[in-house]
Amino acid sequence: MGAKSGEEEAIYYNINYRIYESKTQVKTFEMSQLLAAKELIDTTQKKLTDKDVLISQEMKKDTLQGLIPVGENLNLTIHNDHSAIRKITLRMNAGNYEQALRSTIIHILFDGKKAISCPIGDFFGTGYKIRKNSSWYTKIEDDGTMSCYWVMPFKRKCDILLENRGDQDVKIDHAEIITLPYKWTKNTMYFCSTWKQYSFLRTGEMKNNEGDGFPFDINYVKLKGRGVYVGDCLTLFNTVYAWWGEGDEKIYVDGESFPSHFGTGTEDYYGYAWCRPEKFTGHPFIAQPDGSGNFDPGYTNNVRFRSLDAIPFEKSLRFDMEMWHWTKAVIHFSPITFWYISPTDIKNIPRSNLSDASFPVAMSREDVVSPVIVNNKVEAENMILEKVTGGNFRYSNNVNRGWSNNMQVFWSDMKPKDTLTLSFFSNEERVSDVTIQFSKGPKYGTFSLSINQGDGVIIDSFEENDIINEYTLKNVVINRGRNLLNMEYLMPADKNQIGIDFIELSD
């Protein structure tokens, strides 16, 4: 019931099915089976709800703390035959904390074999911002304490290295690693994880239900060998006022030509729908600790861990996520994946692209989309939204309208005297004529426009047919640094749209 109202949490089921070979004896489900298992089901539900991950008294604790200067490591080696890491807890500190979560790398080697090399915040499922969440496998607390409960077996030793790839010193206030005895058998596997970022990813033109706009697949991971896929998290920064996650997951097992796991949208894969930006946390296997970037420019963090729906593979696994962002955009898109692999196949695991881990994290839209004048021109959709007093603000994307970059700033449904302010930046102070390219059409109205403290001009953008027009402001003072493009909607009430394509300065 909460799906569209927003009044309640709405979590969606992820349903998998199992195919058996012909003539396999399968017991048909009967309600009596469910009733007979009621006590077990209730106990299991309570364990999952309470996150009751039991750690026995046989546990061994190792700790790690200290300063990690730029370019250096903090190391710990655990010698303990036939054991498994059962819990890692870590709390860190830095001046630019968000950057430290991304640029501090956790490396884990089992029996001398590298299995994990990932940004530390992504490894714990929170990306580069602390977002409170408690799942069966991870826990993030408001004070920045991060814990994970993955079972990570090893035969003889485990090496943990915390590497500082950033440009600031990072302090590890406290790290605790709990290991327990673990019986190593011929079926035991190593736990692995890999991360990648698609920086400045161009999402393609505006999509429609027929698939126009060129949606495409993004690879999460390609695995070779025998293993079990157990989950993934996604961190991204959206830069437009439109939904980014219509694309489907496509998981190919053991060389399939068509994916046996084929979803209905990224949102559905991560357990929600209707593009909802509301956060949901505290579930054992799925979460959206932050959905701020779902409809608006901002940060999104999605989580899906697997238990009964873990995916075994004998030869290979490939996970692609379709990029179906409704509107043309440039975004950062960062998946992390988790799986187990056989000891003989660990040599084949893919490595994280850690060069992007040192890349500055996006905290605002202008970290991804530059509002600076380049070659005397700045696109309106690259400008910063400073203020809007009414109506709906977004970016229009259409390959048939003739807009520069196929986009414009679009302001609609406002009332007379509503105002809109955008900002852009110049690397020099100058006086210049400024040409504004804007849209005219049957629903476009009259507005005043000015730059900085200059005189305003009144522009009538009504026209029987949709066209592009321009107006030139003379002798405009352009500041070095920040400049303001100011608009006020004047009239008439039934023609309340404004579309700005770009501004261009004279030489």
Side-chain angles (χ1 to χ4, degrees):
M1 293 299 293
K4 281 193 170 181
S5 70
E7 296 173 1
E8 302 174 43
E9 187 175 73
I11 304 301
Y12 284 70
Y13 290 100
N14 292 302
I15 301 176
N16 284 47
Y17 63 89
R18 183 174 295 167
I19 298 175
Y20 294 91
E21 293 182 4
S22 178
K23 298 183 180 181
T24 300
Q25 295 296 309
V26 179
K27 184 175 178 63
T28 300
F29 172 77
E30 296 176 353
M31 184 59 70
S32 59
Q33 299 171 28
L34 204 61
L35 295 174
K38 183 179 186 306
E39 184 177 347
L40 177 60
I41 292 171
D42 290 346
T43 301
T44 303
Q45 294 279 42
K46 188 175 189 309
K47 282 179 69 70
L48 292 174
T49 301
D50 296 344
K51 320 298 187 304
D52 185 16
V53 182
L54 295 178
I55 304 294
S56 75
Q57 296 301 312
E58 300 176 81
M59 67 180 179
K60 176 177 180 290
K61 288 185 180 180
D62 289 275
T63 59
L64 186 64
Q65 63 184 40
L67 188 70
I68 314 179
V70 174
E72 297 191 18
N73 301 332
L74 195 60
N75 304 334
L76 172 68
T77 297
I78 299 172
H79 293 279
N80 210 9
D81 287 351
H82 287 219
S83 297
I85 295 175
R86 295 302 306 272
K87 182 181 180 182
I88 300 176
T89 298
L90 186 144
R91 189 176 64 252
M92 58 190 288
N93 218 324
N96 184 343
Y97 187 66
E98 289 80 11
Q99 189 63 51
L101 285 171
R102 175 55 60 81
S103 298
T104 307
I105 310 300
I106 182 168
H107 302 277
I108 303 182
L109 293 81
F110 300 116
D111 300 320
K113 303 173 180 70
K114 183 168 283 190
I116 296 162
S117 290
C118 298
I120 205 160
D122 295 88
F123 179 74
F124 285 97
T126 193
Y128 60 85
K129 293 187 179 184
I130 290 295
R131 294 294 182 261
K132 187 176 181 179
N133 184 35
S134 177
S135 75
W136 185 253
Y137 293 111
T138 60
K139 185 176 184 180
I140 309 297
E141 300 177 55
D142 284 334
D143 68 354
T145 300
M146 302 176 286
S147 301
C148 73
Y149 301 87
W150 296 105
V151 179
M152 308 181 198
F154 56 94
K155 281 185 178 180
R156 293 182 178 81
K157 72 167 185 171
C158 168
D159 295 293
I160 298 175
L161 295 81
L162 302 180
E163 178 191 7
N164 183 358
R165 288 198 170 210
D167 59 3
Q168 60 177 337
D169 293 347
V170 174
K171 183 183 179 185
I172 303 301
D173 291 332
H174 176 71
E176 181 179 88
I177 298 89
I178 292 177
T179 53
L180 286 171
Y182 191 92
K183 185 178 180 181
W184 188 278
T185 72
K186 64 179 182 179
N187 292 320
T188 302
M189 296 182 174
Y190 290 118
F191 179 78
C192 303
S193 179
T194 192
W195 172 89
K196 61 177 69 174
Q197 174 164 286
Y198 294 90
S199 303
F200 299 106
L201 178 71
R202 297 185 179 276
T203 64
E205 299 291 347
M206 186 174 184
K207 315 297 188 298
N208 59 29
N209 290 333
E210 285 67 49
D212 294 330
F214 306 106
F216 57 92
D217 291 340
I218 296 174
N219 181 252
Y220 271 34
V221 73
K222 293 178 183 177
L223 302 175
K224 183 179 178 182
R226 182 173 65 92
V228 182
Y229 187 79
V230 293
D232 47 84
C233 303
L234 174 63
T235 298
L236 65 90
F237 195 91
N238 187 22
T239 60
V240 296
Y241 296 86
W243 170 235
W244 55 266
E246 205 67 39
D248 308 332
E249 82 276 8
K250 303 168 186 178
I251 306 177
Y252 304 79
V253 180
D254 293 337
E256 293 171 328
S257 59
F258 188 87
S260 55
H261 294 65
F262 199 145
T264 56
T266 314
E267 55 190 334
D268 306 318
Y269 177 81
Y270 286 110
Y272 62 106
W274 308 110
C275 332
R276 289 167 60 101
E278 296 88 348
K279 73 176 182 179
F280 59 90
T281 58
H283 298 267
F285 304 121
I286 57 174
Q288 179 170 255
D290 194 334
S292 304
N294 284 8
F295 285 127
D296 303 300
Y299 180 85
T300 289
N301 177 220
N302 284 176
V303 173
R304 179 170 178 181
F305 299 134
R306 293 172 173 270
S307 178
L308 294 179
D309 61 337
I311 304 174
F313 53 96
E314 292 296 325
K315 297 183 296 182
S316 64
L317 181 140
R318 172 179 155 198
F319 186 131
D320 291 340
M321 185 67 80
E322 185 180 27
M323 171 43 62
W324 188 311
H325 195 309
W326 279 112
T327 299
K328 181 177 183 177
V330 179
I331 67 174
H332 291 338
F333 189 92
S334 308
I336 185 169
T337 52
F338 306 95
W339 72 94
Y340 289 89
I341 199 76
S342 71
T344 57
D345 294 318
I346 194 169
K347 63 182 181 294
N348 299 321
I349 68 170
R351 302 301 183 189
S352 296
N353 184 5
L354 295 177
S355 59
D356 278 353
S358 303
F359 197 80
V361 296
M363 300 300 292
S364 62
R365 184 175 187 265
E366 54 266 34
D367 292 332
V368 184
V369 178
S370 174
V372 178
I373 295 171
V374 177
N375 296 327
N376 289 330
K377 183 179 177 181
V378 59
E379 301 284 348
E381 67 270 15
N382 288 3
M383 298 181 189
I384 301 168
L385 173 61
E386 295 284 350
K387 182 179 69 172
V388 60
T389 63
N392 296 314
F393 178 88
R394 62 185 177 90
Y395 308 105
S396 291
N397 174 205
N398 193 316
V399 297
N400 298 316
R401 291 298 303 277
W403 298 321
S404 173
N405 196 36
N406 296 330
M407 296 191 77
Q408 70 165 355
V409 159
F410 185 65
W411 185 29
S412 65
D413 303 319
M414 57 282 197
K415 296 178 181 179
K417 296 189 177 180
D418 277 337
T419 61
L420 168 67
T421 302
L422 305 174
S423 65
F424 60 94
F425 286 76
S426 173
N427 291 323
E428 61 177 346
E429 182 177 341
R430 59 194 286 193
V431 176
S432 173
D433 293 349
V434 178
T435 298
I436 296 97
Q437 183 151 303
F438 62 96
S439 293
K440 298 187 75 171
K443 295 184 179 180
Y444 288 83
T446 301
F447 60 99
S448 70
L449 182 145
S450 65
I451 294 178
N452 295 326
Q453 301 301 316
D455 295 334
V457 296
I458 295 177
I459 296 177
D460 182 2
S461 61
F462 171 79
E463 189 73 31
E464 291 292 344
N465 300 304
D466 289 322
I467 63 170
I468 295 174
N469 206 346
E470 61 182 39
Y471 188 96
T472 300
L473 301 176
K474 299 292 187 179
N475 299 320
V476 177
V477 176
I478 300 296
N479 302 321
R480 184 176 185 273
R482 182 168 169 263
N483 294 268
L484 300 179
L485 178 65
N486 309 296
M487 284 169 276
E488 179 182 353
Y489 171 61
L490 300 177
M491 62 178 186
D494 62 335
K495 295 177 176 58
N496 54 352
Q497 294 182 359
I498 295 172
I500 305 295
D501 188 1
F502 64 82
I503 67 170
E504 189 167 22
L505 281 60
S506 61
D507 292 332

